[in-house]
Amino acid sequence: MVPFFPISFLILGFFSLILHTIYVYSRFGVKDVPNERSLHDTVTKKSGGMFFIPLFLVATLLFYFYPQWTDSAFVFPSPNHINDFYLLLAGIFIFSILGFVDDLIHLTPKLRLILELGIVFVCLWGIGPRTSSFGYTSIPQIVQIIFLTIFLVFGINLVNFMDGMDWYLVLTFTICFFSIGIVLPNFFSKPNFGYSLYTILFLSMFGFMFYNFPKAKLFMGDSGSLALGFFVLFLPLLFHHDSQSPDTDHPMLWDLTDYFYLFPFFWIDGIFILIKRFIQKKHLFQAHREHLYQKLTETNLGKVGSLVVFSLLNLFVLCLHFLFQHLRLGKFTILFGLFFVSLIMYAFLWVWALRKNLA
């Protein structure tokens, strides 16, 4: 019988806690000085991603090459898919380094955008993704790669923009884990390895999660948010297409619209604010405090209350998605239904937050 929690998992989580504790209480490190756009009011360590991302990468490779350490609790890619696996890890590493450099010297938005486009394009070219877009599967691969490059870079930066509240990304990515399983029921079984990577990631982040809980003593910085954004958006593209859709005789594919389910309120809030700032002719890449989650923290909900509200909303969409799948509603009926439900809840929260802040 396979042990549910091998000792190596405990070691990894404990080592993560020790590593982040040393960083938080040491004299060295990158510090985030609060300003008028910050949700924190004290100088706080950041760039926690430069600890949990390398730890995740090293642990992943160790568990891959020494599977006996996990007592076969993990699934890793077969030799036929090992290059995709390495490209994923390489992309995570490069984005973490890019984010750390940005934490230190603040790269210009144009230079950072060019570098991000290049990294994502090379990774996508390497895996040759097979996806669909609004149900269409006959799109030339070069067109898919170019479009996905632009879309993924937008999504990665959206994750980075939304990393402004303690534990917000942690809980959002936890819900992402279950959302992928609803869209692609076989994603966490052989020959796919999503479950394994998510488990190692959460164990590697244990120390960070401990110190990022409100009131946070550590932020992940761009070194963490860019790498995590790449991870969560790139991983579904590695889904192996052997299983069949329950409704058709065709292989199940990750559709571009499926990205909405990963973090619905990220997409709605991020895109709404971008459109709003574009209309107001404001700088799109400049830091600000206009997102809904930031406005909610200014009400009597505070940080913890806002975190609970957004987590419950994401969970509600997740449960509704599961229900709609169980009722075997059409793919686009589910998509548009969940989109409008999310949009209505988002609008209601905006009105409530504005009234509270004006009171």
Side-chain angles (χ1 to χ4, degrees), residues 290-316:
E290 298 182 22
H291 287 295
L292 177 58
Y293 76 88
Q294 294 167 318
K295 296 298 182 184
L296 283 181
T297 60
E298 297 171 1
T299 69
N300 53 2
L301 286 175
K303 287 184 180 180
V304 175
S306 302
L307 183 67
V308 171
V309 166
F310 273 101
S311 299
L312 290 176
L313 289 177
N314 281 315
L315 278 174
F316 177 73

Side-chain angles (χ1 to χ4, degrees), residues 30-76:
V30 185
K31 297 180 180 180
D32 193 316
V33 180
N35 53 43
E36 68 278 3
R37 298 183 299 271
S38 306
L39 293 182
H40 60 289
D41 52 12
T42 58
V43 177
T44 307
K45 290 281 185 71
K46 66 175 182 178
S47 291
M50 280 308 296
F51 292 89
F52 66 74
I53 291 297
L55 184 59
F56 162 73
L57 295 173
V58 171
T60 299
L61 292 173
L62 285 175
F63 288 153
Y64 172 71
F65 287 109
Y66 299 96
Q68 65 272 19
W69 289 4
T70 66
D71 295 320
S72 303
F74 285 159
V75 174
F76 283 108

Side-chain angles (χ1 to χ4, degrees), residues 138-304:
S138 58
I139 303 171
Q141 188 159 90
I142 185 61
V143 176
Q144 285 192 57
I145 291 174
I146 292 173
F147 186 79
L148 276 171
T149 297
I150 298 170
F151 181 81
L152 262 62
V153 168
F154 171 75
I156 291 167
N157 282 281
L158 179 64
V159 171
N160 179 240
F161 292 156
M162 301 298 279
D163 178 31
M165 184 167 65
D166 308 342
W167 254 47
Y168 192 21
L169 282 189
V170 171
L171 287 179
T172 299
F173 285 166
T174 302
I175 295 172
C176 280
F177 173 86
F178 297 101
S179 296
I180 296 177
I182 292 176
V183 178
L184 300 173
N186 296 324
F187 187 73
F188 296 122
S189 60
K190 292 183 179 181
N192 300 289
F193 47 92
Y195 162 80
S196 306
L197 293 186
Y198 263 100
T199 303
I200 299 172
L201 176 64
F202 287 135
L203 288 170
S204 302
M205 290 181 66
F206 177 72
F208 169 78
M209 289 188 289
F210 181 82
Y211 287 108
N212 187 242
F213 188 81
K215 180 180 180 181
K217 294 182 180 180
L218 177 63
F219 302 140
M220 68 172 64
D222 290 355
S223 60
S225 59
L226 291 179
L228 289 181
F230 176 82
F231 169 80
V232 76
L233 293 169
F234 196 82
L235 183 61
L237 300 177
L238 305 186
F239 178 71
H240 301 145
H241 319 292
D242 303 325
S243 53
Q244 303 293 314
S245 169
D247 301 318
T248 69
D249 294 328
H250 303 294
M252 296 179 65
L253 294 177
W254 180 260
D255 193 273
L256 186 67
T257 59
D258 292 333
Y259 278 116
F260 172 75
Y261 304 120
L262 296 184
F263 25 73
F265 291 95
F266 266 26
W267 295 115
I268 293 175
D269 196 20
I271 293 172
F272 173 75
I273 296 302
L274 280 175
I275 294 173
K276 177 174 174 284
R277 289 178 66 83
F278 177 78
I279 294 173
Q280 295 173 340
K281 298 182 179 179
K282 294 181 179 179
H283 197 298
L284 298 182
F285 297 102
Q286 188 177 29
H288 56 80
R289 288 187 63 164
E290 298 182 22
H291 287 295
L292 177 58
Y293 76 88
Q294 294 167 318
K295 296 298 182 184
L296 283 181
T297 60
E298 297 171 1
T299 69
N300 53 2
L301 286 175
K303 287 184 180 180
V304 175

Side-chain angles (χ1 to χ4, degrees), residues 131-133 135-140 144 253:
T131 61
S132 60
S133 182
Y136 293 101
T137 59
S138 58
I139 303 171
Q144 285 192 57
L253 294 177

